[in-house]
Amino acid sequence: MTEQEVPPGGELVGDDVPWQAWSPAEAAERLAGVPVPWAVAGGWAVDLFCGQTTREHDDLEIAIPAAGFPAVRAALSDLEFDVIGDGWRWPADSEAFGLHHQTWGREPGTGIYRIDVFREPHDAGSCRDAGIRNDDGIRNDDGIWICRRDESIRRPYDEVILRSADGIPYVAPEIVLLFKAKHARPKDEADFAGLLPLIGPDRRDWLTAALRQVHPGHHWLASL
């Protein structure tokens, strides 16, 4: 994105962003009862799958179907949201909202960021209610997740979202690794190495096929 293409009203984020992220448990408490199939993503999802904290985390990312953002925003009404993309930041009501998927929630006054909400593509036809609550809480079996990097990659939400022993929803590890593969930073390499012995053949096969499609020739394929 060139400077001429940057939507108006934005500012550069910089390197000293004041993050004091919630834990997954804190996010789950605040989002309890929200009628949206949400799930912890990124490095925290790796730890929830492993059942232990493997490293420090600078932020907390959750993934939701894009149509469910108003319900999540209402549940987190004590936060103000900014759209983040390509190193820039805009108010949530700017035109950048439709161009970038990341939405950071911060406390008014302090400016401290607590959560990063990924607004993901989904099949709106089969997810028109953005997830419907049942007696057990949030229902994940209504709708199709669509990979934002290749929209031909699709899976039902009941396969995408797993739950920890404490009931915290998180993104399946093979999907987390697919997104980590793009940058393969040291922490991403460590997450891949830690997860590889723990994921079974079905998850390995899915990740192998997805990597070949999204990142042909990726160096993780040799290990898979």
Side-chain angles (χ1 to χ4, degrees):
M1 176 182 292
T2 66
E3 188 169 348
Q4 289 74 24
E5 295 172 328
V6 174
E11 61 181 0
L12 289 170
V13 175
D15 298 325
D16 56 347
V17 180
W19 267 98
Q20 292 181 26
W22 291 329
S23 69
E26 289 175 298
E29 182 178 354
R30 290 170 178 267
L31 293 173
V34 173
V36 172
W38 70 274
V40 174
W44 267 118
V46 173
D47 282 358
L48 289 170
F49 180 79
C50 293
Q52 61 180 329
T53 302
T54 61
R55 60 176 171 83
E56 293 185 2
H57 299 278
D58 297 326
D59 56 10
L60 173 69
E61 302 156 337
I62 67 168
I64 66 168
F69 183 70
V72 170
R73 188 176 189 177
L76 305 178
S77 59
D78 55 329
L79 299 181
E80 294 179 347
F81 282 90
D82 298 321
V83 176
I84 305 296
D86 297 324
W88 288 76
R89 169 174 52 203
W90 300 264
D93 59 357
S94 76
E95 64 183 71
F97 185 86
L99 302 175
H100 298 283
H101 70 279
Q102 285 186 267
T103 330
W104 289 1
R106 58 179 164 79
E107 293 180 344
T110 68
I112 294 172
Y113 285 102
R114 299 297 192 181
I115 195 167
D116 182 359
V117 180
F118 292 173
R119 293 169 283 110
E120 302 286 345
H122 59 95
D123 185 337
S126 61
C127 194
R128 58 185 176 273
D129 295 321
I132 303 172
R133 288 190 62 206
N134 59 22
D135 292 340
D136 297 323
I138 296 173
R139 176 176 168 182
N140 297 329
D141 60 353
D142 183 28
I144 303 295
W145 165 83
I146 300 174
C147 178
R148 65 177 179 270
R149 297 201 178 139
D150 187 327
E151 294 195 353
S152 70
I153 299 175
R154 301 174 176 225
R155 293 179 69 179
Y157 274 112
D158 60 354
E159 294 180 6
V160 170
I161 300 177
L162 307 181
R163 287 186 178 273
S164 70
D166 296 331
I168 299 173
Y170 64 92
V171 176
E174 66 274 19
I175 296 176
V176 172
L177 289 176
L178 175 61
F179 285 100
K180 284 179 166 290
K182 179 178 180 179
H183 300 293
R185 299 158 295 187
K187 63 181 180 181
D188 302 322
E189 296 287 353
D191 288 341
F192 175 72
L195 283 173
L196 189 59
L198 302 178
I199 58 176
D202 289 346
R203 299 192 190 282
R204 284 181 180 236
D205 290 347
W206 187 92
L207 178 57
T208 298
L211 280 176
R212 286 175 175 162
Q213 189 166 331
V214 180
H215 300 295
H218 197 282
H219 64 277
W220 286 355
L221 288 168
S223 298
L224 288 164

